[in-house]
Amino acid sequence: MASVRSCVSVKSAAAASPVRYRSARVGAASLEPRSLRISCSSSCSSSTFLDSGGDGSRDISCASSSGRGNGVAGLVGDGGGRGRWCRQRVVAMCSAGMEGVRHGAAVASAPATAASGLPERAKVVALVAVVMLLCNADRVVMSVAVVPFAAQYGWSSSFLGIVQSSFLWGYVFSSMVGGALADRYGGKKVMAEGVAFPTMSTFLPKWFPTHERATAVGISMAGFHLGNVISFLATPIIMSHIGLAGTFAFFASLGYLWLSVWLLNVESDPLDSRTISKSELQLILAGRSGSKVEGSKFPSLRELLSKIEMWAIIVANVVNNWGYFVLLSWMPVYFKTVYNVNLKQAAWFSAIPWGVMALSGYVAGASADFLIKSGFSVALVRKIMQSIGFIGPGVSLLCLRFAQTPSIAAVLMTIALSLSSFSQAGYFCNVQDVAPKYAGSLHGLTNGIGTVAAIVSTIGTGFFVQWLGSFQAFLTLTAVLYFSATIFYNTYATGDQIFD
């Protein structure tokens, strides 16, 4: 691994006693001390330079204010001082260096092989996929329950849309707050319904190298989509036996079971894991895109919104959430209203597309990682994935107007959702590209804005259906948004890091 780089600042002082420094070059299992050579002038308040000597020592030279090199060199770390010392106090800011020391110490203490033979990050992504499944299963219970509720209480389509959107009201703020908490306290402590997505954006980059990240997101999101399948199919059956309240309680109990396994077996950072192997830890650390440096400051909202690249991600998130929640919230109602199928049939027709989407999401992630490892630029890969994720659903929704049977409609819905899953390897991973240090916070922010769009689309569908008597008008509007967002994203998105 490369030498640890430390940053130093120089402050004047009336007197200073000799200070000894050691630089560290972190190896896989050892930390080698290196000498630090300091060269100073009598008045070196203007600038400080850090360089690495060919012998492994570090040179810090201070230019005098007059431009004359009247300083002498002293070697520290060799057991004593030589020459005369500058009358300055050198203060080292060693957060980056200490992170390197922490990496080396963690690798040195890790076991050679995993106890179970299964990579630790495989266990991690499996548990993330399970919690995503449970999060979405909880959400879908309401989508199924509103069908008998609407019939029982005579709800209009517009009021039905308001009820459907109520789940998202608190989600707006919990997503933003959850992302910031995940960045600060780690993904292990912050993982729940409203904060699952931003927490995942913070958690997965720590456990997976860059070239495996889209695949990890694909697996996690596969769990999310399977939650739709399981809940669409199981909710009518569970409701018929233990009622609506019992259905919610059933999924909640599964959440508590998951929590007990999560807290006992997962750490926020692989550096803290007691069971990860040395080789796996080295692989993860070598593939990290960056680590947070002490003193780094989260960019202001004004700075965030001044970057057109961030707007590309925001617009993509808005349109993705718009279309996703239209289909998630209204699919059972759509099949019941347009094709007059019963609740259990509607659940089956609604579940099939999400099951296929779970598989296609993994394919999208694996394909994106393969292209990146093959030498394609990150920006190009993100744009290709996002184009598929928006153009495919847009075309499929326009074709729905020609579907004469529920089976054909289900096929078109399946195509739409399957292709929309490619967005997971597009804008979703793009947040980690442009701001790896603040991925959770920024995903929480963009997802919060996107959730507002989801509320508008969920309510808007109800009003459109009530006013026009048809779903097709709103589906056409959604398709137009898909096409427009594709152009905007491909024009302004980037794969480069824009926030340090």
Side-chain angles (χ1 to χ4, degrees):
M1 296 177 65
S3 299
V4 175
R5 294 182 178 272
S6 301
C7 45
V8 300
S9 63
V10 179
K11 298 181 181 180
S12 299
S17 58
V19 181
R20 296 183 182 181
Y21 291 88
R22 285 191 184 272
S23 172
R25 184 182 298 273
V26 180
S30 64
L31 300 176
E32 298 180 33
R34 287 290 186 269
S35 299
L36 185 67
R37 183 177 291 111
I38 300 179
S39 175
C40 300
S41 71
S42 56
S43 62
C44 54
S45 59
S46 58
S47 60
T48 304
F49 302 91
L50 180 63
D51 197 6
S52 180
D55 60 350
S57 63
R58 298 300 183 96
D59 293 294
I60 302 178
S61 53
C62 306
S64 66
S65 58
S66 62
R68 293 173 296 181
N70 58 347
V72 296
L75 183 66
V76 265
D78 61 348
R82 289 186 296 181
R84 60 187 179 84
W85 291 83
C86 295
R87 297 176 62 85
Q88 287 89 18
R89 180 163 52 97
V90 180
V91 181
M93 306 293 294
C94 301
S95 58
M98 291 308 296
E99 185 66 15
V101 172
R102 183 189 179 211
H103 288 185
V107 171
S109 62
T113 58
S116 64
L118 186 68
E120 198 67 18
R121 61 192 190 283
K123 304 174 188 176
V124 167
V125 76
L127 284 172
V128 173
V130 171
V131 75
M132 299 302 289
L133 183 154
L134 293 175
C135 286
N136 217 26
D138 290 339
R139 167 69 184 89
V140 172
V141 172
M142 182 57 70
S143 296
V144 177
V146 294
V147 176
F149 275 174
Q152 180 179 351
Y153 298 108
W155 292 346
S156 65
S157 296
S158 57
F159 184 74
L160 191 58
I162 295 174
V163 173
Q164 293 268 48
S165 70
S166 61
F167 173 87
L168 300 169
W169 297 349
Y171 193 85
V172 175
F173 302 103
S174 62
S175 182
M176 295 181 182
V177 174
L181 292 175
D183 280 344
R184 182 176 180 84
Y185 297 108
K188 177 179 180 178
K189 298 179 180 178
V190 186
M191 180 65 86
E193 178 74 62
V195 301
F197 280 113
T199 301
M200 185 171 67
S201 290
T202 294
F203 190 76
L204 293 183
K206 291 185 177 181
W207 274 95
F208 289 87
T210 303
H211 64 274
E212 294 182 353
R213 206 161 289 163
T215 302
V217 170
I219 295 172
S220 301
M221 292 301 295
F224 186 74
H225 303 315
L226 285 175
N228 292 329
V229 177
I230 292 174
S231 192
F232 271 129
L233 297 179
T235 297
I237 299 174
I238 298 174
M239 284 176 56
S240 65
H241 288 84
I242 57 178
L244 179 60
T247 305
F248 281 108
F250 171 76
F251 285 108
S253 64
L254 295 179
Y256 283 114
L257 177 62
W258 171 87
L259 181 62
S260 62
V261 178
W262 173 264
L263 292 178
L264 293 175
N265 291 277
V266 172
E267 298 295 340
S268 295
D269 195 303
L271 292 169
D272 300 321
S273 175
R274 298 183 299 273
T275 56
I276 192 170
S277 69
K278 183 180 298 184
S279 59
E280 184 178 11
L281 182 56
Q282 287 176 322
L283 173 68
I284 294 171
L285 296 180
R288 281 189 175 180
S289 55
S291 58
K292 203 173 274 189
V293 177
E294 185 177 332
S296 59
K297 185 179 180 181
F298 184 80
S300 66
L301 184 60
R302 181 177 180 179
E303 182 181 0
L304 288 173
L305 299 182
S306 69
K307 303 289 187 180
I308 192 66
E309 298 89 349
M310 273 302 300
W311 277 105
I313 295 174
I314 292 172
V315 169
N317 199 322
V318 164
V319 174
N320 181 76
N321 279 14
W322 177 288
Y324 184 90
F325 280 97
V326 165
L327 297 179
L328 178 64
S329 301
W330 286 96
M331 201 177 292
V333 180
Y334 173 82
F335 281 106
K336 177 70 172 65
T337 303
V338 176
Y339 300 105
N340 196 32
V341 298
N342 61 45
L343 183 59
K344 289 186 178 181
Q345 289 176 319
W348 272 101
F349 282 119
S350 301
I352 293 173
W354 302 106
V356 178
M357 188 180 185
L359 177 62
S360 63
Y362 171 78
V363 172
S367 300
D369 285 339
F370 174 78
L371 290 175
I372 292 173
K373 284 187 287 186
S374 299
F376 288 85
S377 69
V378 173
L380 178 59
V381 172
R382 299 293 179 239
K383 291 176 181 180
I384 291 173
M385 296 296 130
Q386 195 57 59
S387 297
I388 297 173
F390 277 175
I391 294 176
V395 172
S396 300
L397 292 183
L398 290 178
C399 292
L400 267 176
R401 69 185 309 147
F402 305 109
Q404 300 298 318
T405 66
S407 297
I408 295 177
V411 169
L412 290 172
M413 290 282 194
T414 300
I415 295 173
L417 289 171
S418 297
L419 295 179
S420 73
S421 67
F422 279 71
S423 293
Q424 296 164 193
Y427 86 89
F428 196 100
C429 288
N430 201 193
V431 176
Q432 301 166 13
D433 301 326
V434 301
K437 299 176 185 177
Y438 315 109
S441 299
L442 292 185
H443 191 99
L445 174 64
T446 58
N447 199 48
I449 298 173
T451 301
V452 174
I455 294 172
V456 173
S457 67
T458 304
I459 296 176
T461 302
F463 280 99
F464 263 67
V465 172
Q466 183 173 325
W467 292 341
L468 303 178
S470 170
F471 280 93
Q472 192 56 50
F474 201 80
L475 295 179
T476 301
L477 172 62
T478 302
V480 171
L481 291 176
Y482 274 134
F483 299 145
S484 302
T486 302
I487 297 173
F488 189 86
Y489 186 85
N490 283 327
T491 302
Y492 297 112
T494 181
D496 299 328
Q497 182 174 330
I498 60 176
F499 295 109
D500 296 326

